[in-house]
PDB file of all heavy atoms in Angstrom:
ATOM      1  N   HIS G 112      82.853 102.285 106.765  1.00 93.00           N
ATOM      2  CA  HIS G 112      83.691 101.995 105.559  1.00 93.00           C
ATOM      3  C   HIS G 112      84.421 100.674 105.594  1.00 93.00           C
ATOM      4  O   HIS G 112      84.596  99.971 104.566  1.00 93.00           O
ATOM      5  CB  HIS G 112      84.663 103.162 105.349  1.00 93.00           C
ATOM      6  CG  HIS G 112      85.509 103.116 104.203  1.00 93.00           C
ATOM      7  ND1 HIS G 112      85.100 103.438 102.944  1.00 93.00           N
ATOM      8  CD2 HIS G 112      86.872 102.747 104.057  1.00 93.00           C
ATOM      9  CE1 HIS G 112      86.105 103.302 102.062  1.00 93.00           C
ATOM     10  NE2 HIS G 112      87.105 102.860 102.712  1.00 93.00           N
ATOM     11  N   GLY G 115      82.306  97.821 104.961  1.00 96.00           N
ATOM     12  CA  GLY G 115      82.124  97.777 103.485  1.00 96.00           C
ATOM     13  C   GLY G 115      83.257  97.020 102.867  1.00 96.00           C
ATOM     14  O   GLY G 115      82.947  96.080 101.963  1.00 96.00           O
ATOM     15  N   HIS G 116      84.484  97.308 103.158  1.00 95.00           N
ATOM     16  CA  HIS G 116      85.641  96.616 102.529  1.00 95.00           C
ATOM     17  C   HIS G 116      85.480  95.117 102.687  1.00 95.00           C
ATOM     18  O   HIS G 116      85.742  94.326 101.792  1.00 95.00           O
ATOM     19  CB  HIS G 116      86.923  97.056 103.104  1.00 95.00           C
ATOM     20  CG  HIS G 116      87.482  98.283 102.390  1.00 95.00           C
ATOM     21  ND1 HIS G 116      87.781  98.334 101.052  1.00 95.00           N
ATOM     22  CD2 HIS G 116      87.872  99.530 102.855  1.00 95.00           C
ATOM     23  CE1 HIS G 116      88.290  99.480 100.725  1.00 95.00           C
ATOM     24  NE2 HIS G 116      88.288 100.252 101.779  1.00 95.00           N
ATOM     25  N   ALA G 169      99.247  99.322 106.475  1.00 95.00           N
ATOM     26  CA  ALA G 169     100.007  98.692 105.372  1.00 95.00           C
ATOM     27  C   ALA G 169     100.061  99.576 104.066  1.00 95.00           C
ATOM     28  O   ALA G 169     101.122  99.756 103.509  1.00 95.00           O
ATOM     29  CB  ALA G 169      99.423  97.345 105.044  1.00 95.00           C
ATOM     30  N   PRO G 207     108.575  92.674 110.708  1.00 76.00           N
ATOM     31  CA  PRO G 207     108.152  93.116 112.056  1.00 76.00           C
ATOM     32  C   PRO G 207     107.031  92.184 112.652  1.00 76.00           C
ATOM     33  O   PRO G 207     105.889  92.348 112.315  1.00 76.00           O
ATOM     34  CB  PRO G 207     107.636  94.535 111.874  1.00 76.00           C
ATOM     35  CG  PRO G 207     107.456  94.690 110.426  1.00 76.00           C
ATOM     36  CD  PRO G 207     108.052  93.549 109.680  1.00 76.00           C
TER      37      PRO G 207
END
Side-chain angles (χ1 to χ4, degrees):
H112 181 80
H116 273 303

